[in-house]
């Protein structure tokens, strides 16, 4: 998970995609958006989630026995990191088969995580 954290925080789409299975899913409940396969996930990460140098900080936690992260987004104008949902990984062996991004920031306290952090 350290490699995933480093890659995601650095916005390294190629490194993230290298950790996925060929048929990996990316979903964002409650939105009806679903992306399956490395090409679709790569495209979404590069053009939406990590576009334009957007940088995140991931705080590790667990959700239903799976590795998960509180996601925070950096604002270059302030030292405050703003909540940006919860990201849960589903693993098969050492590969990621699903990334599920819950966009509801009200979930963070359930995991003992704050809505904002100071850098």
């Amino acid at each position: 998970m350290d490699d995933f954290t480093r890659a995601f925080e650095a916005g390294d789409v190629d490194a993230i995609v290298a950790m996925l299975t060929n048929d990996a899913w990316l979903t964002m409940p409650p939105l009806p958006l679903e992306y399956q396969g490395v090409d679709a996930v790569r495209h979404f990460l590069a053009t939406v989630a990590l576009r334009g140098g957007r940088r995140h900080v991931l705080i590790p936690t667990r959700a239903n026995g799976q590795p998960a992260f509180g996601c925070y987004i950096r604002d270059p104008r302030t030292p405050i990191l703003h909540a940006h949902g919860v990201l849960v990984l589903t693993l098969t062996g050492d590969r990621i088969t699903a990334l599920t991004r819950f966009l509801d920031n009200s979930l963070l306290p359930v995991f003992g995580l704050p809505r904002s952090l100071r850098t």
Side-chain angles (χ1 to χ4, degrees), residues 1 6 10 15 41 43 65 67 81 89 97 101:
M1 292 303 80
R6 277 191 292 278
V41 173
H43 180 71
L81 301 172
L89 305 182
T97 58
R101 179 72 174 273

Side-chain angles (χ1 to χ4, degrees), residues 64-92:
N64 295 327
Q66 295 290 332
F69 303 91
C71 297
Y72 297 86
I73 196 157
R74 290 189 182 278
D75 180 345
R77 300 166 299 208
T78 177
I80 304 296
L81 301 172
H82 299 283
H84 207 246
V86 175
L87 177 62
V88 180
L89 305 182
T90 303
L91 305 176
T92 298

Side-chain angles (χ1 to χ4, degrees), residues 10 23 25 27-29 39 48 52 64 93 98 113:
D23 61 346
W25 283 90
T27 59
M28 292 166 281
D39 291 337
V48 179
N64 295 327
L113 299 170

Side-chain angles (χ1 to χ4, degrees), residues 2-72:
D2 290 340
D3 290 340
F4 178 83
T5 301
R6 277 191 292 278
F8 201 91
E9 289 182 346
D12 188 342
V13 174
D14 290 333
I16 296 167
V17 169
M19 298 177 211
L20 303 177
T21 59
N22 288 336
D23 61 346
W25 283 90
L26 186 149
T27 59
M28 292 166 281
L31 299 176
L33 305 174
E34 296 181 336
Y35 303 89
Q36 185 181 25
V38 292
D39 291 337
V41 173
R42 176 192 312 275
H43 180 71
F44 177 82
L45 291 174
T47 61
V48 179
L50 302 174
R51 77 180 181 280
R54 182 181 279 184
R55 292 292 182 255
H56 294 81
V57 171
L58 300 181
I59 305 299
T61 188
R62 306 273 304 165
N64 295 327
Q66 295 290 332
F69 303 91
C71 297
Y72 297 86

